[in-house]
Amino acid sequence: MWGGRFETGPADIMREITPSIDFDKRLAREDLAGSRAHVRMLGSEGIINKDDAKAILSGLDQIEKEIEKGQFVFKRELEDIHLNIEARLAEIIGPCAGRLHTARSRNDQVVTDFRLWVRGACERADAALFQVQRALFAQAEKHAATIMPGFTHMQPAQPVTFGHHLMAYVEMFGRDRGRFEDARKRLNESPLGAAALAGTSFPIDRDATAQALGFQRPLRNSMDAISARDFALEYLAACSICAVHLSRLAGELVQWSTPAFGFVKLSDAFTTGSSIMPQKRNPDAAELIRGKTGRVIGDFVALATVVKGLVLTYGTDLQEDKERVFDAADTLELSLRAMAAMVADLTAQPDKMRAAAEPGYPTATDLADWVVRVLKKPFREAHHIAGSIVKLAEQKGVALDQLSLAEMQSVEPAISEDVFKVLSLEASVNSRMSFGGTAPARVAEQLFFWREKLK
């Protein structure tokens, strides 16, 4: 391709380190789309004649069919997807294939392909997250009133409902979808026509190519168009945050499925056995999702490290961008599909959840609130009173509602029989009626809100 300047070929090691075709062949569809938009514009603007434009388009159609049928031969000596397609085009239509590269560079060509690919990846992530939300929603709808322990510091804190707990993840994944949507909006500008870095002297129509490829507009600065990889970093950042949320949910499923908790059962479809212990049922799908989070975050860190010291505009360092993005996309999309299927498949165990919600004095806050509300004590004083009653219950080895009224009155004489109305798990859950609270009536509101969004 650059033989006019060079007298000898590359060293053998260059033939190993330079090619990117092994991974950037995934950009074939995007490369063909970009080339079609470019050549149509060249023909429309009279930069190449219409016969040559027609021949090039016909050749690109044939190449697309060859790729779809698995008949296209990708050659490492041609380095990348762009030269592989251009070389095959020349074989099909002859020398006029060389006119396709008029007024563009591999620099704007590759980043156009890459933006198109990442745009599609944002859309795929959104669709996969939608399915995870639907699976969570379906379980939450069935268990809007199922009582379970809520934890802080991994200690029993207050009773909540399983539906409320699951809807927390619906909210998280909703924000993840928003991040992918925002990333898609920001990246949806076309670099095509920026050429190597400075633009081109040919009278091209960048608006036409941008519109043809579904971009909102052309990027305004040719140097920025070539060098910017923040769109890939933003996508990877969204992937990383989403993977962290998946990891948190996966960790809970691992915990909940242990005999010590027993909150959920995972079927044979999402567990494995042990090679030595016949009784084992291991939550491998959840563990793998949790483990893959490190890989996705690593992809973000790797690309950020590649880009951080690059001066404008292009360096071959940027060849390292695609593998990191491809890996993160593959990993996240697989994890999302697995999570959606696993959540849909799990079976909740309400009796185990309720039994686990009883120890640890989870209605102590309800006792303190009752003292504030009925006895008109300041909350800090009420907190002390409730803590003292909890200490008394601990000493006697009983639950709060198993203490006698006289025993409670030994701590605070003004306490009345009415206090027992707030000490049950059901009373506690039902009382949490603040907006976004765990009361089944409030969970029903959350379900109503999301039902329309998840149709």
Side-chain angles (χ1 to χ4, degrees), residues 317-336:
D317 315 51
L318 291 174
Q319 189 166 292
E320 293 295 315
D321 58 3
K322 286 167 280 298
E323 284 185 282
R324 302 283 61 81
V325 168
F326 293 160
D327 180 70
D330 291 346
T331 302
L332 183 68
E333 289 169 25
L334 176 61
S335 297
L336 287 168

Side-chain angles (χ1 to χ4, degrees), residues 81-356:
I81 187 61
H82 323 297
L83 295 187
N84 268 265
I85 287 177
E86 187 174 328
R88 179 58 181 145
L89 185 64
E91 291 174 355
I92 296 170
I93 67 172
C96 77
R99 300 190 186 282
L100 172 59
H101 209 56
T102 305
R104 77 174 182 185
S105 161
R106 277 198 299 178
N107 292 357
D108 64 336
Q109 185 179 1
V110 65
V111 74
T112 299
D113 294 357
F114 199 25
R115 280 182 182 260
L116 289 171
W117 196 95
V118 175
R119 187 175 72 187
C122 289
E123 293 165 359
R124 293 194 302 275
D126 178 76
L129 278 162
F130 177 75
Q131 295 304 325
V132 174
Q133 286 182 297
R134 282 174 62 90
L136 288 163
F137 178 91
Q139 291 285 3
E141 195 169 33
K142 288 189 287 187
H143 295 285
T146 298
I147 292 176
M148 68 175 290
F151 298 92
T152 63
H153 308 278
M154 268 311 296
Q155 302 295 316
Q158 293 177 313
V160 296
T161 71
F162 189 46
H164 189 57
H165 195 125
L166 294 180
M167 289 305 294
Y169 284 102
V170 173
E171 295 283 346
M172 281 187 222
F173 292 129
R175 292 192 295 275
D176 287 328
R177 291 180 67 189
R179 273 181 278 274
F180 285 112
E181 182 182 0
D182 289 344
R184 187 195 183 284
K185 287 178 183 176
R186 257 184 294 281
L187 71 81
N188 201 32
E189 296 180 335
S190 174
L192 192 57
L197 77 159
T200 177
S201 59
F202 290 95
I204 62 172
D205 184 347
R206 292 191 63 206
D207 288 299
T209 53
Q211 183 177 6
L213 293 169
F215 288 116
Q216 189 173 1
R217 65 179 71 86
L219 282 153
R220 284 183 288 270
N221 183 287
S222 63
M223 296 179 74
D224 178 52
I226 295 306
S227 63
R229 291 298 184 277
D230 55 326
F231 69 91
L233 285 171
E234 186 170 8
Y235 168 73
L236 288 175
C239 287
S240 298
I241 297 171
C242 180
V244 166
H245 289 160
L246 282 172
S247 182
R248 296 182 73 181
L249 177 54
E252 300 222 78
L253 292 176
V254 170
Q255 186 180 77
W256 291 345
S257 64
T258 62
F261 277 76
F263 291 179
V264 301
K265 281 186 178 179
L266 301 177
S267 75
D268 293 354
F270 294 96
T271 55
T272 63
S274 165
S275 63
I276 188 173
M277 296 170 283
Q279 83 282 9
K280 291 297 291 300
R281 180 188 290 275
N282 301 323
D284 279 11
E287 291 173 346
L288 286 166
I289 291 169
R290 186 173 60 183
K292 288 180 185 296
T293 300
R295 183 167 170 171
V296 175
I297 294 171
D299 288 325
F300 171 79
V301 173
L303 182 55
T305 305
V306 168
V307 173
K308 74 172 185 65
L310 290 186
V311 297
L312 299 183
T313 54
Y314 184 81
T316 311
D317 315 51
L318 291 174
Q319 189 166 292
E320 293 295 315
D321 58 3
K322 286 167 280 298
E323 284 185 282
R324 302 283 61 81
V325 168
F326 293 160
D327 180 70
D330 291 346
T331 302
L332 183 68
E333 289 169 25
L334 176 61
S335 297
L336 287 168
R337 291 197 302 273
M339 181 60 79
M342 185 166 45
V343 169
D345 181 75
L346 68 81
T347 302
Q349 304 293 298
D351 292 343
K352 289 286 188 73
M353 292 183 187
R354 195 191 189 291

Side-chain angles (χ1 to χ4, degrees), residues 1 54 57-58 91 146 218 270 346 368 377 394 427:
M1 181 179 60
K54 185 177 180 180
L57 288 168
S58 177
E91 291 174 355
T146 298
F270 294 96
L346 68 81
K377 301 280 189 181
E394 277 184 321

Side-chain angles (χ1 to χ4, degrees), residues 14-61:
M14 284 291 285
R15 299 179 193 276
E16 294 301 316
I17 196 172
T18 303
S20 59
I21 187 61
D22 294 339
F23 54 85
D24 69 17
K25 61 187 176 184
R26 293 181 64 163
L27 297 175
R29 181 171 61 179
E30 289 76 16
D31 197 69
L32 290 165
S35 290
R36 286 191 179 105
H38 184 65
V39 75
R40 287 189 177 109
M41 181 274 297
L42 293 177
S44 177
E45 297 300 313
I47 298 170
I48 66 174
N49 69 57
K50 294 195 184 305
D51 288 339
D52 285 344
K54 185 177 180 180
I56 290 169
L57 288 168
S58 177
L60 293 174
D61 288 344

Side-chain angles (χ1 to χ4, degrees), residues 410-422:
S410 70
V411 175
E412 171 49 59
I415 290 177
S416 68
E417 190 78 27
D418 185 61
V419 74
F420 290 98
K421 294 179 181 179
V422 304

